[in-house]
Amino acid sequence: MRYSGLKVFTEGLLGNRGWKPVWRDPAPKASYDAVIIGGGGHGLATAYYLAKNHGLTNIAVLEKGYLGSGNIGRNTTIVRANYFLPGNSEFYSHSMKLWEGLEADLNYNVMHSQRGLINLFHSDGQRDAFARRGNAMINQGDDAILLDRDGVRELLPYLDFDNTRFPIYGGLLHPRGGTARHDAVAWGYARAADRRGVDLIQNCEVTGIDIANGRVTGVQTTRGAIRAAKVGMVVAGRSSQVAAMAGLRLPIESHILQAFVTEGLKPVIDHVISFGMGHFYISQSDKGGLVFGGDLDFYASYAARGNLPMVEHVMEAGMTLMPMIGRARVLRSWGGIMDMTPDGSPIIDKTPIDGLFIDAGWNYGGFKAVPASGFCMAHLMATGTSHPVAARFKLNRFATGHILDEEGTGSQHNLH
Amino acid sequence: MRIDSKGRIDRSRPLTFVFDGTSYAGFKGDTLASALMANNVRVVGRSFKYHRPRGILTAGSEEPNALVEVLGPSNQTPNTRATMQELFEGLVARSQNRWPSLGLDLLEVNDLAAPFLSAGFYYKTFMWPRRLWEGLYEPLIRRAAGLGRLSGKHDEGTYEKAWAHCDLLVIGAGPAGLMAALTAARAGVDVILCDESSEPGGRLLSDEGAIDGLPAADWVAGVLAEMASLPNLRLMTRTTVTGAYDDGTFGALERVGLHRRPRPNLPRECFWRIVAKRSILAAGALERAIAFENNDRPGVMMASALSTYLNRYGVVPGKRIALFANTDSARNTARSLMAAGVEVAAIIDPREDAAEEPGTTVHRGAVVARARGRMGLREITIRKGASETRLSVDCLGVSGGWNPTLHLTCHMNGRPRWSADLAAFVPNDGAIPGMLVAGAANGSFSTHGCLAAGAEAARASLAALGMAAPMAALPQAEDAPYAIAPLWQVPTKKRAWLDFANDVTTKDVALSAQEGFTSVEHMKRYTTQGMAPDQGKNSNVAALAVLADATGRGIPETGTTTFRPPFAPVSIAAMGAGGRGAGFAPQRFLTSDRASRDRHAPMIEAGLWYRPSYFPKPGETTWRESCDREVMMVRSSVGVTDVSTLGKIDIQGPDAGRFLDFVYTNTFSTLPVGRVRYGLMLREDGHVLDDGTCARLGETHWLMTTTTAAAGLVMRHLDFVHQAFCADWQVRFTSVTEGWAQFAVAGPRARDLITSALGRAPGLPFMGCSDVTVQGIAGRLFRISFSGEEGYEIAVPTRYGEALFRDLIARAETMGGGPYGMEALNVLRIEKGFITHAEIHGRTTACDIGMEKMVSAKKDCIGKAAAARPGMTGPEREQLVGLKPLTDSPITAGAHLFAQGAELTRENSAGYVTSVGYSPLLKSHLALAFLKNGRARHGETIRLVDRLRDIDVLCSVTGPVFHDPEGEKLRA
Amino acid sequence: MRLTCPFCGPRDRREFHYYGAADYLNRPGPEAAASAWDDYLHNRDNPAGVTQDLWYHEQGCAAWLKVTRNTVTHEILAVDAVAGGAA
């Protein structure tokens, strides 16, 4: 069933009785060409691009809960391509291009909205670092504009320019940055993958990975054994547990990142605003809620919930930067489980076990990466070689010292 | 309409207030909702999506409809629940989410278009043409969505945060909470009792029950009187416990000033962090609705809310009322209304065995099929079997049973379980460590049950605290059994509302199931059920039941509902109290701060510190003029600058040298007493952590300096290395950063200035140090330089800092010198090729900055092993170089470097500029930069391109040291 | 979240700085193989359950602490000093 405005209209006239299920609910087959563990954004995108780009349709996505039950539905929905290190730069740039065609590609409105993202800076030194970043973005073929204080004031007149603790020197505007509706991304990829014949199997938890003579042969699940010559682990948030089934110990520590949404408000914030000095970023959803977040709670956790110190810190940052949001009320908070790698960059690579692939370590930036992550993971699983834009996301880069540390805080878990 | 004899309002204190421009009268003790009801205002809001007229549904914080903007003298507060906003003289409120007015809202056209606006319709359309999404569709959607408005002005209100600690926190002051708190407080433990309402009592104030033969409200008054005499009990009204967090920590929001006329310094709200050894959740239960056609019409409301409005506020919303209920609790409402002289036209009870009710007609085995009356209920249709009859009423009280208010028990991932008896979710034991749930929150709905459960929970909590609690006689109260015939929806082909606030109907839930969104989480996210300001408090369980129906599963198999903090929405300003303006982070001031400001130096942030940017002289109009002068002053005579922001760590002990050898890449243990050495410190991952000097003050006494930015980081690092790896070594250290004020004196006449200040020649070799007496004060002198000139740093205890700074400057000025600021300091260090965190930005190795020889081969040190990885060295990495433009052009930090003729792409970027400055000495802009294989490329010409600022300049690549590369001036 | 510092008593989480898994205590010797350093610095069990990690009482006594903790429930099972204590 193809979605369109006309279809919505005709269905409306007919009492909306004709809408069909967005995906089938197949029972798992005994064997597939490839299985993907994890029905989140990255796993569903991997399945979609395996089918679309590589013609692999005898594949399944195994999801222990419901599709999109992980971080794809627990984030602040920001889409950007503003990285500066070679390795990250080309990857996120590629992702942005996929985002820009995603609705047409999936025939699903993921509400990708290029509202513009502004990273504020508060000293000459920060300006220089953002200038380096902005130039890297332009060199990559993406867009960036360096705003001075007045330029920021023109776009964001409601910031506290007079009393905030860290005066606003300017900002780096990334016009193509923005947001998308997070759940819709999972559903859009799921529906499109299903339409290409991919089996999406929910409530199917992988309990073991079968390996013989150094090769993967399939997986054990709560719904029976499934044979497959290729297995992709795409389970950020649970990567260490799933990899452990294959005897692997990963360079990953799991952390909590909280985010918040307020009650609905009439439009008041048009852009995505990022306030580095306060680890605070905010945008307003189409429904009207202010969606914002901060830094990690900063202790290893799988609890998917956080504590007050970071909650309060985030609110305090909001109050020093833009006290006009003071009377908005926080409606809901949540925590996502972040796969934190030592250097803050992801892993899309083969493992030492033949046929077993890993897509993990998305840190706190996985949402915007979903299209390129699926694209590159599909390329890797289908061809056995890394896609050029993901070539530096190697599992062994920590051993070799080819670090991708955008933040520069250190490529150790304890230095995030 | 007021009922004269009823209510707890103070009729001796009339108040006036304004709603949507019209002035009304109310009384002290009213809420905005009750006062509007008394004035027969029926429509108070518009719904989110269809913009349908809406009236008051509830009497609590769960209200989904009656959300208004409250206007203060300088700002407005959107989405205020009229049911929680207490009336005060002069209150001004305004309806929201309507245009142009509440009575005529043009967006009500959405209601006619409802067939095309079904659940998730927006995922299926607005995709073509793509550019119209940002240009047209999305702006329209955004404008139509949203509820109230923020003004866009800074919130200048006062907010507070506070801590409280107690043995036992009791959440909710209804019968269970009062009994629990009283029992515990009588036993002597510290108790905090919080209640969301302005007045403790819970449903005892709303329902006309009796306790120990007294009207329940009188019993409450007695309990409160006793509580007031107990110093170990703190009663916090208007305080909503919003979240349960780890280790007995709770968040709570107190409405301190929202119920009063605003006045300066009166906090609007206070956000409490309550730490409790034990807790009891006695938050009661929330009545739930039944979905039927047009059940959202103004005048359809919760039956229990009718009781509350009658008994607490002396007001009823209609003259002729019907009740639609599947439990007995609504019978109390009917009796109260009839006793107050209000006509109860009918009770519609779906239970076939429902009892008769004197004074009214009971329609047994019947349901309400639909409501009519767009701007206010006029009529309901009663359906029994196949027959339908119409009944004219202007108000309908609905009760679909009760849901325990168990939200807090879900905050730490606890999941409730389904109770078939109660047709409701009840909390599981132990969901929050240390918390017991008592009374209606635990599914115990009778007054007796609540009192008994409260007392029992208190005794159990006391036992856990190691206290014995005497058994006390329980007050006598009703103990009626709870009998419910579950009824979630009355079948209809039209729309029947579940989530009033988000306009989610039973059709939407059915469509969600039809489209395969059968998981409860999918249904919620697809339909937006439960995501409105009430967070599904009124509707989640019913929606789950409707989904279960649609998918042919039972409720427990369909899933559970869960809740995340906060229980009720909390303003950002309250949780962010203290963050406004400078409050967000500490401010650190130098001892010379006042002296610098006296000289009109602009003070700029350096981390948490404020440092002088430059010291303008009369006639100087730009910072560059001042900066150039200060640079030349240092190069030609002498300059003074405050360097106290550098971290200073005092290290002592026989193993101190050994310890320094371990944390620095180079060797310190061999340094003679009275000498200073530059040191490089790595992180264990092999990258540069920090650099600085370390002085050996005595055989076992050292003083380490760190950069300003890394002072705290290095202290933490040293503590870790010591305690984790060599705790048995005899070394101790402490930060003395704030104990010393330290000033750099640099320039060809630096020695003269020091001689003048000390009254004797310093007599120090380059990189020497000694104790000195500065005008009678014991201080320290170091001969070190960050400028390339002969330089000293002189340190005195902090309290003498300002005096010494003023003294040094006065002396310098007699020599043609003076103070210099951060701008000049930066130029001086660039001329000399000294690095800062612009260069050691966390991704830099010793090799990158040309210091690989400083990593001693003879010993282990932190970071040495990781620095040896193949990716950490080599010509493909960017190495520190100097750049000098070939023409007299400005250059910028953040620019990238390209080979001449190369296309400007990521692949061709050969490096980037980290620091720039104009050297008045060399009459040229200078830069430090990282360039691939840079050390082998000195003498090459490279293209510097800053596309953000349209700069494109050819530069020659040089070594990073532009001035005095042999260091002759330093050693003079 | 609260930790009971063995020297200072129960304190709020905001007094402490977290420093990753207790693996960091087992620093390889200078001659150890590169793989041992890779494991030490990067690879982690990262359990969903009981773990041991390092916390620094930065706003208190500056003691480094080894905390035994459940990463799923956040329950604190033990707090020991890294230096000299039960560590």
Side-chain angles (χ1 to χ4, degrees):
Chain A
M1 177 182 290
R2 195 165 170 79
Y3 291 160
S4 67
L6 182 65
K7 182 77 185 161
V8 169
F9 182 72
T10 52
E11 275 299 325
L13 292 178
L14 298 170
N16 289 308
R17 285 189 297 268
W19 297 111
K20 298 283 187 296
V22 278
W23 46 66
R24 296 165 295 126
D25 185 17
K29 294 195 280 192
S31 170
Y32 289 97
D33 294 340
V35 300
I36 292 148
I37 308 172
H42 294 255
L44 293 165
T46 300
Y48 171 70
Y49 291 114
L50 272 173
K52 184 191 174 211
N53 295 352
H54 305 282
L56 270 172
T57 54
N58 182 31
I59 61 176
V61 175
L62 310 180
E63 167 53 50
K64 77 170 175 180
Y66 59 93
L67 295 174
S69 49
N71 289 334
I72 187 74
R74 285 170 227 269
N75 58 70
T76 44
T77 80
I78 297 170
V79 175
R80 59 187 167 93
N82 62 347
Y83 286 68
F84 69 97
L85 290 182
N88 283 331
S89 210
E90 56 268 38
F91 176 82
Y92 290 101
S93 179
H94 184 65
S95 208
M96 179 62 84
K97 292 187 189 86
L98 293 171
W99 275 109
E100 287 168 341
L102 203 56
E103 274 107 355
D105 196 13
L106 301 180
N107 178 232
Y108 205 82
N109 189 354
V110 301
M111 303 186 190
H112 177 219
S113 173
Q114 297 187 300
R115 341 186 45 73
L117 178 148
I118 298 171
N119 279 96
L120 300 170
F121 51 80
H122 310 272
S123 68
D124 289 344
Q126 287 181 9
R127 182 201 54 222
D128 295 346
F130 274 113
R132 177 189 174 194
R133 179 182 299 272
N135 276 307
M137 292 158 67
I138 296 174
N139 293 338
Q140 170 61 37
D142 294 322
D143 63 343
I145 297 168
L146 199 67
L147 304 172
D148 61 10
R149 181 181 164 91
D150 286 339
V152 172
R153 195 193 286 268
E154 201 168 303
L155 294 178
L156 314 174
Y158 46 78
L159 301 187
D160 188 347
F161 287 89
D162 302 319
N163 298 309
T164 187
R165 173 66 179 82
F166 298 106
I168 296 158
Y169 278 47
L172 184 68
L173 169 64
H174 171 32
R176 284 162 71 214
T179 57
R181 168 85 180 104
H182 56 6
D183 288 325
V185 177
W187 301 339
Y189 272 116
R191 172 170 167 273
D194 175 87
R195 290 170 68 186
R196 287 178 180 268
V198 177
D199 280 359
L200 308 177
I201 302 165
Q202 305 189 66
N203 303 309
C204 178
E205 182 172 359
V206 171
T207 54
I209 296 176
D210 299 331
I211 297 162
N213 304 319
R215 263 209 76 80
V216 74
T217 58
V219 295
Q220 301 291 321
T221 80
T222 50
R223 296 176 70 176
I226 299 174
R227 289 193 307 283
K230 291 181 180 180
V231 174
M233 300 183 287
V234 195
V235 288
R238 281 275 160 180
S239 295
S240 296
Q241 279 68 46
V242 174
M245 294 179 198
L248 301 174
R249 202 162 171 259
L250 298 179
I252 285 176
E253 196 175 80
S254 298
H255 278 259
I256 291 303
L257 185 68
Q258 295 192 73
F260 311 88
V261 63
T262 68
E263 297 172 345
L265 298 159
K266 290 297 177 193
V268 64
I269 295 177
D270 286 334
H271 297 81
V272 182
I273 302 161
S274 176
F275 171 43
M277 291 303 282
H279 295 284
F280 173 86
Y281 39 91
I282 187 166
S283 66
Q284 187 170 15
S285 78
D286 286 345
K287 277 180 65 188
L290 306 182
V291 181
F292 59 103
D295 204 357
L296 297 176
D297 259 41
F298 206 39
Y299 43 82
S301 171
Y302 288 90
R305 61 182 178 81
N307 274 290
L308 279 175
M310 188 48 64
V311 176
E312 294 175 33
H313 182 80
V314 168
M315 308 296 158
E316 287 165 14
M319 289 308 289
T320 195
L321 180 68
M322 41 167 71
M324 70 106 177
I325 62 174
R327 297 187 182 198
R329 293 189 189 87
V330 175
L331 184 57
R332 190 167 62 245
S333 62
W334 63 92
I337 303 169
M338 307 291 113
D339 264 14
M340 299 303 293
T341 59
D343 65 357
S345 293
I347 296 161
I348 304 178
D349 203 359
K350 296 190 248 191
T351 69
I353 294 151
D354 282 348
L356 183 65
F357 303 87
I358 183 162
D359 177 305
W362 290 101
N363 296 278
Y364 23 65
F367 180 66
K368 62 187 165 289
V370 163
S373 167
F375 195 95
C376 294
M377 181 65 171
H379 181 93
L380 176 69
M381 287 183 71
T383 68
T385 57
S386 291
H387 190 279
V389 302
R392 299 201 197 206
F393 296 158
K394 291 279 191 267
L395 184 55
N396 72 350
R397 69 174 181 272
F398 306 103
T400 65
H402 294 91
I403 303 301
L404 288 170
D405 184 3
E406 288 268 334
E407 290 189 1
T409 52
S411 54
Q412 295 170 225
H413 292 293
N414 49 14
L415 296 177
H416 291 304
Chain B
M1 179 175 76
R2 289 282 182 200
I3 304 295
D4 282 344
S5 57
K6 305 290 287 186
R8 304 174 64 77
I9 49 175
D10 184 350
R11 286 178 164 82
S12 70
R13 295 179 67 184
L15 302 170
T16 56
F17 68 101
V18 174
F19 178 68
D20 272 352
T22 304
S23 190
Y24 297 100
F27 295 108
K28 178 85 182 157
D30 262 325
T31 63
L32 177 59
S34 67
L36 287 169
M37 197 177 277
N39 286 283
N40 300 317
V41 176
R42 306 194 73 183
V43 177
V44 292
R46 288 276 175 168
S47 72
F48 176 76
K49 181 170 164 185
Y50 300 125
H51 287 253
R52 286 164 68 94
R54 290 284 170 79
I56 296 157
L57 185 76
T58 73
S61 66
E62 70 277 17
E63 173 64 30
N65 289 343
L67 309 186
V68 300
E69 292 168 358
V70 171
L71 284 74
S74 63
N75 217 325
Q76 64 193 58
T77 310
N79 302 337
T80 302
R81 280 76 175 152
T83 50
M84 297 300 285
Q85 176 61 55
E86 295 170 54
L87 212 60
F88 56 82
E89 178 60 34
L91 173 71
V92 181
R94 181 166 66 192
S95 60
Q96 57 184 40
N97 193 34
R98 80 290 185 276
W99 189 85
S101 71
L102 191 56
L104 174 70
D105 179 1
L106 294 182
L107 274 173
E108 199 176 346
V109 68
N110 286 355
D111 199 34
L112 300 172
F116 314 109
L117 306 180
S118 59
F121 78 97
Y122 31 75
Y123 299 126
K124 301 167 179 166
T125 181
F126 303 134
M127 286 179 278
W128 185 88
R130 192 188 180 279
R131 65 193 157 74
L132 283 193
W133 173 249
E134 278 97 348
L136 177 67
Y137 303 134
E138 192 183 36
L140 286 177
I141 291 172
R142 287 171 81 90
R143 226 165 290 157
L147 295 165
R149 288 168 299 181
L150 287 175
S151 68
K153 292 190 279 191
H154 299 337
D155 183 357
E156 304 290 2
T158 306
Y159 299 85
E160 289 189 340
K161 278 201 273 203
W163 286 93
H165 296 255
C166 62
D167 294 316
L168 177 67
L169 171 67
V170 179
I171 302 160
L178 286 171
M179 201 64 211
L182 188 63
T183 305
R186 279 172 176 167
V189 299
D190 283 332
V191 177
I192 293 178
L193 172 60
C194 293
D195 195 272
E196 187 171 40
S197 182
S198 58
E199 215 184 344
R203 295 282 332 151
L204 297 178
L205 306 182
S206 295
D207 300 329
E208 292 183 294
I211 297 181
D212 275 350
L214 291 170
D218 293 356
W219 179 83
V220 171
V223 169
L224 294 178
E226 182 178 350
M227 285 182 167
S229 73
L230 294 169
N232 54 323
L233 184 140
R234 176 177 193 162
L235 173 63
M236 298 174 70
T237 55
R238 299 187 177 93
T239 303
T240 308
V241 176
T242 56
Y245 302 90
D246 285 310
D247 305 308
T249 307
F250 295 84
L253 183 71
E254 181 182 3
R255 306 188 304 279
V256 182
L258 298 184
H259 60 292
R260 313 170 72 154
R261 291 185 71 132
R263 62 167 197 261
N265 303 320
L266 172 68
R268 289 167 54 81
E269 295 168 310
C270 178
F271 185 71
W272 288 89
R273 287 73 56 95
I274 301 175
V275 180
K277 293 183 185 137
R278 305 284 303 179
S279 58
I280 295 173
L281 179 65
L286 291 172
E287 200 169 25
R288 61 197 185 201
I290 299 168
F292 57 90
E293 182 184 331
N294 289 338
N295 60 327
D296 66 327
R297 291 306 190 198
V300 179
M301 59 193 296
M302 306 315 304
S304 60
L306 284 173
S307 295
T308 300
Y309 285 109
L310 175 63
N311 289 315
R312 276 189 76 170
Y313 305 107
V315 61
V316 290
K319 293 189 170 66
R320 194 172 142 82
I321 296 178
L323 291 159
F324 176 26
N326 62 345
T327 72
D328 289 335
S329 66
R331 299 300 177 97
N332 289 332
T333 304
R335 287 169 208 149
S336 286
L337 287 167
M338 289 187 283
V342 180
E343 181 185 356
V344 175
I347 295 175
I348 300 92
D349 194 326
R351 296 173 297 180
E352 294 290 352
D353 59 349
E356 290 295 335
E357 190 64 44
T360 186
T361 311
V362 176
H363 297 265
R364 280 184 287 203
V367 296
V368 174
R370 73 184 60 83
R372 283 203 179 80
R374 192 176 71 87
M375 299 299 282
L377 185 67
R378 289 194 320 272
E379 177 191 283
I380 56 172
T381 301
I382 300 167
R383 179 189 298 157
K384 183 172 166 114
S387 75
E388 291 191 349
T389 55
R390 294 180 174 194
L391 184 67
S392 288
V393 291
D394 54 5
C395 176
L396 176 71
V398 179
S399 177
W402 293 81
N403 290 325
T405 305
L406 48 73
H407 305 66
L408 287 174
T409 69
C410 297
H411 284 188
M412 290 172 68
N413 294 343
R415 290 286 179 275
R417 74 191 145 78
W418 180 252
S419 162
D421 291 347
L422 303 175
F425 285 101
V426 293
N428 273 311
D429 292 339
I432 303 289
M435 176 185 277
L436 297 172
V437 189
N442 202 29
S444 188
F445 293 141
S446 75
T447 308
H448 169 80
C450 288
L451 294 168
E456 179 51 36
R459 274 193 295 274
S461 301
L462 288 166
L465 291 166
M467 304 276 292
M471 290 293 288
L474 270 183
Q476 297 292 310
E478 63 83 21
D479 193 16
Y482 183 71
I484 180 168
L487 176 67
W488 308 102
Q489 58 177 327
V490 177
T492 173
K493 292 198 166 82
K494 301 279 178 55
R495 286 173 296 165
W497 268 256
L498 290 163
D499 188 332
F500 286 62
N502 257 359
D503 269 334
V504 179
T505 66
T506 54
K507 275 186 163 185
D508 293 315
V509 174
L511 178 62
S512 160
Q514 176 188 328
E515 294 196 74
F517 292 103
T518 51
S519 143
V520 63
E521 283 291 336
H522 277 155
M523 180 276 285
K524 272 174 64 177
R525 289 162 180 268
Y526 192 61
T527 62
T528 75
Q529 161 66 41
M531 295 185 168
D534 74 337
Q535 284 291 284
K537 289 194 188 78
N538 295 292
S539 56
N540 270 358
V541 177
L544 187 64
V546 172
L547 179 68
D549 271 359
T551 55
R553 297 174 294 189
I555 291 174
E557 295 78 51
T558 302
T560 57
T561 179
T562 189
F563 300 96
R564 298 184 182 283
F567 167 73
V570 184
S571 69
I572 291 174
M575 282 197 284
R580 270 291 322 259
F584 178 58
Q587 294 176 294
R588 302 180 78 180
F589 298 106
L590 292 163
T591 58
S592 61
D593 188 79
R594 192 164 31 170
S596 296
R597 290 179 200 262
D598 285 351
R599 288 169 175 267
H600 309 292
M603 303 302 285
I604 55 167
E605 289 73 17
L608 299 178
W609 291 96
Y610 290 84
R611 300 182 76 176
S613 185
Y614 55 93
F615 292 85
K617 287 254 167 143
E620 291 172 350
T621 54
T622 68
W623 68 269
R624 257 291 299 282
E625 281 178 75
S626 305
C627 176
D628 287 357
R629 175 185 48 76
E630 288 172 12
V631 170
M632 291 313 291
M633 174 185 81
V634 172
R635 295 277 179 233
S636 62
S637 59
V638 62
V640 178
T641 195
D642 192 333
V643 293
S644 311
T645 61
L646 296 180
K648 295 177 277 294
I649 300 171
D650 192 283
I651 303 172
Q652 302 195 32
D655 288 322
R658 190 180 170 199
F659 181 69
L660 292 170
D661 286 349
F662 190 33
V663 294
Y664 279 120
T665 61
N666 45 336
T667 303
F668 275 80
S669 50
T670 55
L671 187 71
V673 173
R675 300 304 296 257
V676 185
R677 184 166 283 170
Y678 174 79
L680 188 69
M681 220 180 260
L682 302 182
R683 299 186 305 232
E684 194 71 276
D685 74 351
H687 295 88
V688 177
L689 167 62
D690 201 36
D691 69 344
T693 59
C694 189
R696 189 163 196 172
L697 304 177
E699 197 52 42
T700 60
H701 188 188
W702 306 66
L703 185 73
M704 175 188 285
T705 60
T706 75
T707 59
T708 302
L713 206 61
V714 169
M715 186 66 203
R716 178 194 299 161
H717 175 70
L718 297 187
D719 268 333
F720 179 71
V721 171
H722 177 230
Q723 294 178 37
F725 304 140
C726 50
D728 55 336
W729 293 6
Q730 291 192 56
V731 57
R732 290 293 181 271
F733 40 86
T734 191
S735 169
V736 293
T737 304
E738 300 193 342
W740 294 88
Q742 190 156 321
F743 305 100
V745 176
R749 300 203 63 190
R751 195 179 308 179
D752 295 342
L753 175 51
I754 294 294
T755 302
S756 154
L758 295 182
R760 65 169 177 84
L764 281 182
F766 178 55
M767 299 303 264
C769 67
S770 69
D771 286 344
V772 292
T773 306
V774 197
Q775 294 158 45
I777 305 303
R780 288 173 183 158
L781 185 69
F782 309 86
R783 184 167 168 191
I784 52 180
S785 171
F786 196 53
S787 62
E789 301 300 322
E790 179 173 347
Y792 296 85
E793 291 189 7
I794 184 165
V796 291
T798 300
R799 62 187 178 281
Y800 303 112
E802 180 175 359
L804 179 60
F805 182 73
R806 290 185 189 271
D807 178 78
L808 290 171
I809 285 175
R811 290 173 198 272
E813 284 175 338
T814 66
M815 301 174 180
Y820 64 103
M822 293 291 288
E823 296 293 349
L825 187 147
N826 193 42
V827 171
L828 290 162
R829 69 96 189 170
I830 291 172
E831 288 176 338
K832 184 62 188 168
F834 286 140
I835 54 174
T836 66
H837 281 288
E839 284 75 36
I840 46 174
H841 48 48
R843 290 170 292 271
T844 316
T845 66
C847 212
D848 298 342
I849 51 173
M851 294 190 186
E852 65 273 24
K853 294 207 179 75
M854 279 184 69
V855 184
S856 167
K858 296 184 191 144
K859 62 176 185 73
D860 185 22
C861 71
I862 297 291
K864 186 175 173 183
R869 288 176 291 175
M872 302 287 279
T873 54
E876 74 276 13
R877 286 186 69 93
E878 293 151 342
Q879 297 167 338
L880 184 68
V881 296
L883 297 178
K884 215 170 159 179
L886 297 184
T887 52
D888 180 26
S889 322
I891 48 177
T892 46
H896 283 234
L897 305 177
F898 295 89
Q900 291 183 75
E903 204 186 334
L904 302 181
T905 62
R906 169 183 52 79
E907 294 86 341
N908 291 337
S909 171
Y912 58 96
V913 179
T914 54
S915 301
V916 296
Y918 178 77
S919 166
L921 184 70
L922 304 175
K923 302 211 166 18
S924 171
H925 291 275
L926 302 176
L928 297 177
F930 282 105
L931 176 66
K932 275 181 193 160
N933 198 24
R935 278 201 287 282
R937 298 170 72 172
H938 292 183
E940 282 185 22
T941 297
I942 196 103
R943 189 174 163 201
L944 179 157
V945 186
D946 184 337
R947 300 166 84 177
L948 292 165
R949 288 170 284 194
D950 286 330
I951 285 172
D952 191 340
V953 180
L954 291 177
C955 297
S956 65
V957 179
T958 71
V961 186
F962 299 96
H963 172 64
D964 188 23
E966 305 307 318
E968 287 161 5
K969 291 176 183 292
L970 291 171
R971 294 182 177 82
Chain C
M1 181 176 274
R2 294 170 72 77
L3 294 177
T4 300
C5 172
F7 306 107
C8 309
R11 298 299 171 94
D12 190 79
R13 184 263 178 274
R14 39 198 115 194
E15 293 189 11
F16 299 88
H17 178 82
Y18 171 84
Y19 203 64
D23 300 42
Y24 280 113
L25 296 175
N26 307 316
R27 189 173 186 269
E31 303 308 320
S35 62
W37 277 99
D38 183 31
D39 269 343
Y40 167 68
L41 276 172
H42 307 123
N43 296 329
R44 293 290 175 264
D45 289 341
N46 192 26
V50 175
T51 194
Q52 289 198 316
D53 45 26
L54 300 169
W55 298 70
Y56 177 45
H57 199 183
E58 190 158 32
Q59 314 279 325
C61 61
W64 278 92
L65 306 172
K66 183 163 78 171
V67 176
T68 308
R69 221 167 47 84
N70 188 311
T71 58
V72 175
T73 63
H74 292 175
E75 186 184 4
I76 311 282
L77 302 164
V79 184
D80 300 298
V82 161

